[in-house]
Amino acid sequence: MMGPAHSLSGAAAWLGVGAATAAAGHPMPWPVLLAGTLICAGAALAPDLDHKSATISRAFGPVSRALCEIIDKLSYAVYKATRSTADPRRSGGHRTLTHTWVWAVLIGAGASAVAVTGGRWGVLAILFVHLVLAVEGLLWRAARGSSSDVLVWLLAATSAWILADVLDKPGNGSDWLFTGEGQDYLWLGLPIVLGSLVHCIGDALTVSGCPILWPIPIARKRWYPLGPPKGLRFRAGSWVELKVLMPAFMLLGGVGGAAALNFI
């Protein structure tokens, strides 16, 4: 799928989690719902850091472009080192390592560690990165073009600072789900894991499939491209994505958000 659809699916997924927790009698504080939705929308773009044309690879200028080169080479190296004889040969790392459950868990755990050990600056860094990506994904028309990059960064930095202040207030969610000593903001890794997995599921619906379950072997392949039957797959950017899936994600997100806030 393309960037906007990935971001919408990520936002809808976290709003769905919010609806589920509300139905279970443990509603999220609204700042957690808001922050998690934006983080998940941004994290749903992150697996494409292995592709030089992806939104995330352009979002932070030379820094993200350089990181893209590194991740692509790392992914390709891991693919070559772990592929079975049934896996095809390939020349790059796109849709390999970063499109697996292993990567999603590692990135989420790393973000939680940064949030817990890095204090306020660690939380701000996580919020800033994912808010930039959320703006790039959800408001892609307004954020398009290099001239808007600085404005997006300023908006994300300001919003991250305000959101961190709100979350820090008692009862607003800094200790949501994890209430032990020193566990404030440990939950920040959860929307990142979810966003990464939602991205992989979205890519699995396309013609190429996605090796989400690596390194678990399937049909003698370690990088088996999971997906529905061929007849149910679509090409990225096709009318199915633009006219069916994106409106569906917006509708589901709206319903999930209303349920999470007990409006319905």
Side-chain angles (χ1 to χ4, degrees), residues 1-2 6 47-51 72 75 79 90 92-100 199-200 202-212 214 223-226 233-236 241:
M1 289 198 299
M2 306 298 287
H6 279 309
D48 276 344
L49 189 56
D50 60 4
H51 194 293
D72 179 45
S75 298
Y79 181 85
R90 54 186 304 151
H94 182 48
R95 282 203 187 184
T96 54
L97 179 61
T98 62
H99 288 67
T100 66
H199 177 109
C200 295
D203 278 353
L205 299 176
T206 64
V207 293
S208 300
C210 188
I212 306 172
W214 175 86
W223 297 91
Y224 185 85
L226 284 175
R233 301 187 188 191
F234 59 88
R235 293 191 178 278
E241 180 177 335

Side-chain angles (χ1 to χ4, degrees), residues 80-105:
K80 287 200 302 181
T82 62
R83 64 180 286 267
S84 70
T85 55
D87 288 306
R89 295 185 180 275
R90 54 186 304 151
S91 58
H94 182 48
R95 282 203 187 184
T96 54
L97 179 61
T98 62
H99 288 67
T100 66
W101 70 271
V102 174
W103 180 268
V105 171

Side-chain angles (χ1 to χ4, degrees), residues 140-227:
W140 72 97
R141 295 188 188 279
R144 185 178 297 169
S146 59
S147 60
S148 65
D149 283 349
V150 175
L151 294 178
V152 172
W153 299 339
L154 288 174
L155 174 62
T158 304
S159 300
W161 191 275
I162 294 172
L163 194 51
D165 278 345
V166 173
L167 286 166
D168 276 340
K169 296 184 184 303
N172 275 3
S174 62
D175 60 349
W176 177 71
L177 200 59
F178 301 97
T179 58
E181 183 70 25
Q183 293 182 348
D184 285 0
Y185 293 109
L186 186 61
W187 62 268
L188 279 181
L190 297 179
I192 294 174
V193 173
L194 180 60
S196 296
L197 292 176
V198 167
H199 177 109
C200 295
I201 293 171
D203 278 353
L205 299 176
T206 64
V207 293
S208 300
C210 188
I212 306 172
L213 295 182
W214 175 86
I216 300 171
I218 301 174
R220 299 187 300 109
K221 294 182 179 180
R222 289 196 179 276
W223 297 91
Y224 185 85
L226 284 175

